[in-house]
């Protein structure tokens, strides 16, 4: 095999390594934004494997009070987390049990105000790690790839993947904070504008009342003199 063919095979091997590693190291995560009506409760279910990890982060981004009740229930029906009147929180369940975890948001304490809630669920199961090890073990070290150190490549790609995932999660959280702050600013702007208009109407009413009263006083004097 000449030098050009060896280089071509090496490049194809690196591409296969990269694609296989990205697919193997990807954890299961999802994010969702929903509207929680007043005096109601919403629950979501997340399946989990044995001895994995489950991370849940939530934020209330709109609504009066900016708070909800939050709870996590295990597949056995045990309350793992119970929070009351909170605006945000981060919780980790590790190790997990096989079954469906119940994630609930309760707004029953608010009779009139609905809430907009954002939450993110990050699942990491042992199957992902085992699959990643199998991918790397199956690649081996053929003669055309002896110059590459698979352990170094694996470690570097795992580090890059973790940092990218953490960056994406932080960007998602920052977007949720931005949405909450924007909704809060818009709500404050509406209140300031409303009460400013009320004060303006009151000032105009007082001014017109004073002008009318003064004119009536002068009109009474003219009638007495005549």
């Amino acid at each position: 095999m000449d030098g050009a063919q060896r280089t071509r095979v090496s490049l194809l091997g690196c591409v296969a390594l990269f694609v296989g590693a990205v697919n193997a190291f990807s954890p299961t995560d999802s994010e969702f934004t929903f509207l929680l009506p007043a005096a109601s409760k919403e629950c979501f279910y997340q399946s989990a494997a044995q001895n994995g990890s489950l991370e849940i982060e939530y934020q209330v981004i709109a609504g009066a009070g900016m708070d909800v009740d939050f709870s996590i229930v295990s597949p056995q029906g045990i309350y793992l987390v119970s929070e009351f009147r909170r605006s945000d929180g981060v919780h980790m369940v590790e190790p997990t049990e096989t079954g469906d975890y119940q994630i609930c948001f309760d707004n029953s304490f608010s009779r009139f105000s609905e809430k907009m809630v954002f939450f993110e669920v990050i699942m990491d199961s042992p199957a992902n790690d085992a699959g990643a090890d199998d991918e790397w073990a199956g690649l081996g070290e053929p003669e055309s790839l002896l110059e590459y150190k698979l352990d170094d490549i694996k470690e570097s790609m795992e580090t890059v993947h973790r940092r990218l995932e953490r960056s994406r999660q932080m960007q998602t959280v920052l977007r949720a904070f931005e949405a909450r702050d924007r909704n809060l600013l818009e709500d404050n702007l509406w209140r300031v504008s409303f009460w400013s208009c009320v004060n303006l109407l009151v000032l105009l009413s007082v001014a017109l009342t004073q002008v009318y009263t003064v004119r009536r006083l002068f009109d009474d004097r003219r009638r007495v003199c005549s």
Side-chain angles (χ1 to χ4, degrees):
M1 183 180 294
D2 57 10
Q5 291 178 345
R6 186 178 296 106
T7 302
R8 187 179 300 109
V9 172
S10 300
L11 291 175
L12 291 176
C14 288
V15 172
L17 287 174
F18 178 76
V19 174
V22 170
N23 292 332
F25 296 148
S26 298
T28 303
D29 59 342
S30 58
E31 55 191 51
F32 189 52
T33 302
F34 69 99
L35 193 63
L36 182 61
S40 65
K41 180 179 181 180
E42 294 286 347
C43 292
F44 302 86
Y45 294 87
Q46 174 65 51
S47 300
Q50 187 72 22
N51 295 328
S53 64
L54 173 65
E55 182 178 356
I56 303 171
E57 180 171 358
Y58 72 94
Q59 292 182 17
V60 183
I61 59 178
M66 307 284 283
D67 54 358
V68 294
D69 294 343
F70 175 76
S71 61
I72 301 177
V73 184
S74 69
Q76 305 299 328
I78 301 174
Y79 279 80
L80 304 178
V81 177
S82 294
E83 293 183 335
F84 304 97
R85 309 293 293 268
R86 294 288 301 273
S87 60
D88 56 69
V90 181
H91 300 282
M92 173 75 75
V93 179
E94 188 177 13
T96 57
E97 305 175 5
T98 302
D100 294 332
Y101 281 81
Q102 188 175 357
I103 306 168
C104 294
F105 300 89
D106 192 355
N107 192 33
S108 58
F109 60 85
S110 180
R111 296 298 179 182
F112 305 102
S113 176
E114 58 187 12
K115 309 291 176 60
M116 184 174 294
V117 182
F118 162 84
F119 72 96
E120 182 180 18
V121 179
I122 302 175
M123 282 291 306
D124 192 7
S125 62
N128 291 336
D129 298 335
D133 295 336
D134 293 340
E135 289 286 340
W136 286 102
L139 290 173
E141 287 189 358
E143 295 179 357
S144 59
L145 297 176
L146 290 178
E147 65 273 16
Y148 296 103
K149 297 181 179 179
L150 292 181
D151 292 337
D152 293 340
I153 295 175
K154 177 182 177 182
E155 183 179 357
S156 299
M157 294 182 66
E158 287 178 344
T159 302
V160 171
H161 175 73
R162 286 194 298 267
R163 291 178 178 176
L164 288 175
E165 281 296 315
R166 187 57 182 171
S167 299
R168 188 190 62 80
Q169 295 170 14
M170 290 300 298
Q171 289 176 354
T172 302
V173 172
L174 291 176
R175 285 197 299 269
F177 274 115
E178 181 184 1
R180 184 178 68 177
D181 293 341
R182 183 174 63 251
N183 291 328
L184 185 61
L185 287 174
E186 291 177 353
D187 186 49
N188 291 337
L189 177 62
W190 183 87
R191 293 182 180 180
V192 171
S193 300
F194 174 78
W195 288 110
S196 297
C197 293
V198 171
N199 289 333
L200 179 61
L201 292 176
V202 171
L203 290 175
L204 291 176
S205 301
V206 171
L208 293 176
T209 302
Q210 289 179 346
V211 171
Y212 177 76
T213 303
V214 172
R215 292 189 62 181
R216 288 295 302 270
L217 291 175
F218 282 104
D219 290 342
D220 293 339
R221 289 181 180 181
R222 291 174 182 174
R223 291 176 182 175
V224 172
C225 293
S226 62

